[in-house]
């Protein structure tokens, strides 16, 4: 007898937060139809929210590329259509039921979490792969079969079995971020032996390999709309949307596919072949093996399909041209330190597609330039060449929407200069920490490098809240930049004095008198004098008189 349970369109499984802070669990359709009533997604962690968001985006993109807001068949055919369709949705302030139900109901049978034939984003073929316990499925545990985590986020019963609601969320998480510890199936090993061909590794899950950036609004409807990028470039619409539920399921192991040419396809990429193990209506484990993958540094016709990532510039060689490639997050680096990567397009820098999209909407007067925009990052860190997950991190940055408009390029460049000054002051603080360590008798490259790093981290920890406040209050339509910048440099000056006071509080007798190191004398007073001179040089040439508008 056929078994079907827990349809994701109708059953509650997505966690959302109300403005009161209360958490509710809703189905896909309930979330879409009531998105304006919730602040945000509220899964077990921010990294889990990302693939859920992208699933919702895939439904919305496919729906509104084919239907108008009234539910009538109306394909987007040009840039003007795309902007008009997006603006019509934005002005409604909610997602209309008719077009979404008209589109998705014919595919309802592809959304059963438990199904003998077509379980959602799963396949029976996964039974050929590695069998895992539920503790590996749970992303904030990610516990392998061979090693138990010392510090547990839940008790034994809570990690041996979980309900369908939670399993659905972690299923998306594993598909998005899975590590590379999964082994080849016996079938694949036999094939390799017989043919002499080696199957490539699919690598970590797609979202684990990019520096994710998402725009966040005042409520979930705005967040979904901000990330609903209707154009692949400023003058070109997307190819046909092809989410996974519209295609025949692929069961092959470690299959290299052509790079997705539309976001609905990318957002529902099956990077793993998965199958949940069920007992007494609980998930007690799962099977996994390598799924679809593609070369992550591929640019198609000058654009990336992935619109929610930062890039890095790779200088060309004799055999390869210079190129932009998607990059990973550095968890030790605050997002504002990557301001130029986030907002400023140059010959050697590309900005995320979602940022360019919002800038276009602002310049077209679709969005109010007075609005605030929040950019959130989330990332998963791995150890030993992506063999296991070590941490999950996130960050955010608040800006006036007008900062995205290219007509305020001088403000963008000005902020980039301020970030550069902060970097120089952090490096100077690292040099101060190194010199003070030497004056106390420290030596050795690794020891001095560690002290320098601590000094930089100290400066960034002090400046971080001040910079975030400053950038969130900078409004190009109100503030004179030079005046506003000078006020912030006064804050920087005071923070360097605070740095000095913190080191003076840890004074040692030896550091006062100092010592010789590599034929040079070091002491606390000398180190502080050098630091003050560096600070004056860094800030002195930057501070100018300016009047507020």
């Amino acid at each position: 007898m056929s078994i079907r349970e827990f349809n994701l369109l109708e059953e509650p499984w997505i966690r959302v937060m109300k403005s009161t802070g209360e958490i509710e669990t809703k189905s896909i359709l309930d979330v879409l139809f009531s998105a304006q009533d919730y602040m945000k997604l509220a899964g077990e962690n921010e990294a889990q929210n990302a693939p859920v968001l992208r699933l919702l985006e895939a439904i919305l993109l496919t729906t509104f590329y084919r239907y108008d807001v009234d539910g009538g068949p109306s394909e987007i055919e040009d840039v003007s259509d795309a902007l008009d369709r997006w603006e019509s949705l934005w002005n409604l302030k909610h997602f209309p039921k008719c077009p979404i139900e008209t589109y998705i109901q014919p595919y309802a049978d592809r959304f059963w979490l438990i199904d003998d034939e077509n379980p959602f984003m799963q396949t029976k073929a996964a039974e050929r792969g590695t069998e895992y316990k539920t503790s590996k499925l749970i992303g904030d545990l990610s516990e392998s079969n061979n090693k138990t985590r010392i510090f547990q986020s839940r008790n034994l019963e809570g990690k041996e079995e979980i309900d369908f609601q939670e399993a659905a969320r972690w299923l998306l998480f594993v598909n998005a971020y899975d590590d590379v510890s999964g082994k080849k199936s016996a079938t694949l090993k036999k094939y390799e032996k017989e043919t002499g061909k080696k199957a490539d590794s699919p690598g970590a899950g797609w979202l684990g390999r990019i520096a994710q950036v998402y725009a966040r609004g005042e409520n979930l409807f705005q967040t979904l709309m901000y990330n609903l990028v209707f154009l692949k470039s400023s003058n070109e619409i997307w190819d046909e949307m092809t989410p996974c539920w519209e295609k025949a399921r692929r069961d092959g192991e470690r299959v290299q596919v052509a790079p997705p040419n539309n976001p609905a396809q990318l957002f529902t990429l099956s990077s793993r072949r998965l199958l949940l193990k069920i007992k007494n209506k609980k998930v007690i484990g799962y099977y996994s093996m390598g799924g679809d993958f593609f070369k992550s540094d591929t640019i198609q016709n000058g654009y990336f399909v992935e619109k929610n990532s930062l890039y890095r510039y790779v200088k060309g060689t004799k055999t390869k041209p210079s190129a932009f490639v998607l990059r990973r997050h550095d968890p030790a680096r605050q997002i504002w330190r990557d301001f130029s990567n986030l907002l400023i397009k140059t010959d050697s820098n590309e900005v995320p597609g979602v940022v360019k999209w919002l800038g276009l909407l602002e310049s077209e007067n679709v969005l109010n330039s007075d609005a605030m925009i929040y950019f959130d990052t989330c990332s998963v860190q791995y150890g030993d060449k992506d063999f296991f997950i070590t941490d999950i991190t996130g960050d955010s940055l608040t800006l006036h929407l007008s900062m995205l408009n290219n007509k305020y390029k001088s403000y963008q460049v000005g902020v980039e200069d301020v970030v550069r000054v902060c970097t120089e002051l952090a490096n100077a603080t690292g040099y101060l920490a190194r010199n003070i360590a030497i004056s106390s008798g420290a030596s050795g490259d690794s020891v001095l490098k560690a002290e320098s790093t601590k000094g930089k981290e100290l400066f960034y920890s002090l400046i971080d809240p001040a910079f975030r406040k400053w950038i969130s209050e900078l409004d190009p339509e109100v503030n004179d930049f030079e005046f506003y910048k000078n006020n912030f440099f006064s804050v920087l000056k005071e923070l360097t004095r605070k740095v000095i006071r913190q080191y003076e509080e840890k004074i040692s007798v030896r550091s006062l008198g100092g010592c010789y190191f590599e034929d040079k004398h070091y002491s606390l007073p000398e180190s502080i004098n050098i630091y003050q001179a560096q600070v004056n040089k860094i800030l002195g040439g930057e501070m100018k008189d300016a009047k507020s508008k």
Side-chain angles (χ1 to χ4, degrees):
M1 185 175 68
S2 178
I3 297 176
R4 276 186 170 179
E5 292 188 68
F6 207 82
N7 191 284
L8 300 178
L9 294 176
E10 304 290 346
E11 297 283 355
W13 64 280
I14 300 175
R15 286 162 53 97
V16 287
M17 180 183 291
K18 300 179 71 173
S19 59
T20 59
E22 180 184 356
I23 305 295
E24 294 184 349
T25 307
K26 299 291 182 179
S27 69
I28 287 177
L29 292 179
D30 284 341
V31 168
L32 291 176
F33 298 152
S34 303
Q36 69 280 359
D37 298 328
Y38 299 104
M39 286 184 62
K40 62 179 182 177
L41 296 174
E44 276 78 359
N45 56 53
E46 288 301 322
Q48 185 196 80
N49 289 334
V52 175
L53 178 74
R54 290 161 76 95
L55 172 62
L56 298 174
E57 297 285 5
I59 294 173
L60 292 171
L61 278 164
T62 310
T63 297
F64 293 108
Y65 244 67
R66 301 179 188 177
Y67 298 91
D68 61 28
V69 296
D70 297 319
S74 177
E75 293 190 4
I76 289 176
E77 297 182 350
D78 55 34
V79 171
S80 179
D81 284 348
L83 292 173
D84 288 345
R85 183 73 50 85
W86 196 97
E87 186 173 14
S88 296
L89 283 169
W90 179 255
N91 290 336
L92 280 177
K93 295 182 171 54
H94 70 274
F95 294 114
K97 288 187 177 183
C98 182
I100 294 174
E101 289 179 336
T102 299
Y103 164 67
I104 203 66
Q105 286 304 335
Y107 299 101
D109 284 350
R110 298 297 297 271
F111 283 83
W112 291 99
L113 184 69
I114 312 301
D115 185 9
D116 286 343
E117 297 297 326
N118 285 304
F120 183 74
M121 295 197 79
Q122 300 168 75
T123 171
K124 290 281 287 185
E127 292 179 335
R128 302 198 307 265
T130 306
E131 182 177 355
Y132 291 104
K133 299 176 182 177
T134 311
S135 54
K136 173 70 171 175
L137 177 67
I138 300 170
D140 49 10
L141 280 176
S142 192
E143 187 175 275
S144 72
N145 290 340
N146 302 318
K147 189 174 182 180
T148 302
R149 287 191 180 272
I150 297 175
F151 299 103
Q152 301 283 343
S153 60
R154 58 181 71 195
N155 59 32
L156 180 63
E157 181 180 351
K159 71 176 189 175
E160 288 188 337
E161 60 178 33
I162 56 177
D163 58 32
F164 292 160
Q165 294 183 355
E166 185 177 2
R169 298 191 294 271
W170 290 126
L171 178 75
L172 294 185
F173 179 94
V174 168
N175 184 65
Y177 300 101
D178 195 25
D179 56 40
V180 298
S181 61
K183 299 178 177 63
K184 297 176 184 177
S185 70
T187 303
L188 181 58
K189 289 179 180 177
K190 180 180 178 181
Y191 170 81
E192 289 180 329
K193 185 176 181 180
E194 292 175 348
T195 63
K197 298 178 181 179
K198 292 292 183 182
D200 291 334
S201 169
W206 175 250
L207 293 189
R209 290 185 278 145
I210 65 174
Q212 296 180 76
V213 178
Y214 299 95
R216 173 168 49 89
E218 299 293 340
N219 56 46
L220 183 54
F221 168 76
Q222 289 188 3
T223 296
L224 287 164
M225 286 298 297
Y226 284 161
N227 295 283
L228 200 63
V229 181
F230 265 22
L231 297 175
K232 68 179 179 182
S233 66
S234 61
N235 58 5
E236 194 173 2
I237 64 172
W238 289 110
D239 297 332
E240 181 183 4
M241 298 293 170
T242 55
C244 68
W245 49 84
E246 292 189 4
K247 300 180 294 182
R249 185 186 61 215
R250 187 183 286 115
D251 293 337
E253 182 177 357
R254 300 193 177 196
V255 179
Q256 183 169 340
V257 299
N261 63 8
N262 65 89
Q265 181 185 8
L266 177 63
F267 291 171
T268 58
L269 178 77
S270 296
S271 67
R272 294 293 185 270
R273 308 287 183 239
L274 301 167
L275 183 66
L276 298 175
K277 288 181 61 181
I278 312 301
K279 183 178 181 181
N280 298 327
K281 295 187 181 297
K282 294 284 187 177
V283 174
I284 60 169
Y286 71 106
Y287 298 96
S288 175
M289 66 182 185
D292 298 340
F293 68 98
F294 59 95
K295 297 300 183 182
S296 62
D297 59 353
T298 301
I299 303 177
Q300 300 181 71
N301 302 321
Y303 73 92
F304 281 103
V305 174
E306 179 59 72
K307 299 299 184 182
N308 295 99
S309 177
L310 292 173
Y311 309 94
R312 62 186 176 88
Y313 181 72
V314 178
K315 194 173 182 180
T317 64
K318 290 182 179 179
T319 57
K320 290 185 178 181
S322 299
F324 294 107
V325 297
L326 299 169
R327 76 177 214 197
R328 297 193 184 195
H329 274 298
D330 178 354
R333 188 177 178 88
Q334 297 96 333
I335 185 176
W336 59 262
R337 292 165 61 186
D338 283 319
F339 180 86
S340 60
N341 296 106
L342 187 65
L343 256 69
I344 303 175
K345 178 175 173 57
T346 65
D347 290 341
S348 60
N349 185 59
E350 184 62 78
V351 300
V354 67
V355 176
K356 289 192 285 188
W357 169 246
L358 292 171
L360 175 64
L361 293 174
E362 196 274 344
S363 66
E364 294 286 336
N365 297 316
V366 177
L367 292 177
N368 186 351
S369 61
D370 291 337
M372 302 299 294
I373 189 76
Y374 312 90
F375 288 108
D376 294 335
T377 68
C378 65
S379 64
V380 167
Q381 279 74 56
Y382 302 87
D384 191 19
K385 297 181 180 180
D386 297 346
F387 201 72
F388 54 91
I389 293 175
T390 59
D391 199 7
I392 297 172
T393 61
D395 198 359
S396 63
L397 184 67
T398 305
L399 301 168
H400 277 270
L401 189 59
S402 54
M403 282 294 294
L404 277 57
N405 195 317
N406 284 334
K407 73 179 180 180
Y408 295 117
K409 186 69 172 287
S410 62
Y411 281 72
Q412 297 172 0
V413 173
V415 173
E416 182 183 24
D417 286 340
V418 172
V419 174
R420 174 184 55 77
V421 167
C422 291
T423 301
E424 291 178 1
L425 289 174
N427 290 337
T429 306
Y431 189 64
L432 168 68
R434 172 188 178 276
N435 289 349
I436 292 176
I438 292 173
S439 69
S440 299
S443 61
D445 290 343
S446 60
V447 172
L448 297 181
K449 184 177 180 179
E451 291 298 324
S452 177
T453 299
K454 289 179 183 178
K456 294 176 184 178
E457 291 174 348
L458 170 63
F459 179 82
Y460 281 126
S461 69
L462 293 174
I463 192 56
D464 185 64
F467 185 92
R468 292 179 189 275
K469 181 175 184 295
W470 177 77
I471 191 66
S472 68
E473 294 175 349
L474 177 58
D475 185 349
E477 298 184 344
V478 176
N479 303 120
D480 176 89
F481 186 78
E482 289 300 323
F483 179 85
Y484 204 65
K485 180 187 74 172
N486 284 347
N487 287 341
F488 185 65
F489 281 175
S490 296
V491 173
L492 289 177
K493 185 78 170 180
E494 179 54 39
L495 284 174
T496 61
R497 297 190 185 103
K498 188 172 182 178
V499 167
I500 292 172
R501 290 195 296 271
Q502 290 202 20
Y503 279 109
E504 287 177 335
E505 290 172 359
K506 301 176 182 179
I507 192 172
S508 68
V509 175
R510 182 169 184 177
S511 67
L512 281 174
C515 62
Y516 279 92
F517 178 76
E518 295 181 349
D519 299 325
K520 183 178 178 181
H521 191 265
Y522 292 82
S523 69
L524 177 66
E526 289 170 319
S527 300
I528 290 175
N529 287 338
I530 292 171
Y531 181 62
Q532 289 175 323
Q534 289 178 318
V535 168
N536 290 335
K537 182 178 180 181
I538 293 169
L539 293 177
E542 299 288 342
M543 299 183 71
K544 302 173 183 178
D545 291 330
K547 295 181 180 179
S548 178
K549 288 184 178 179

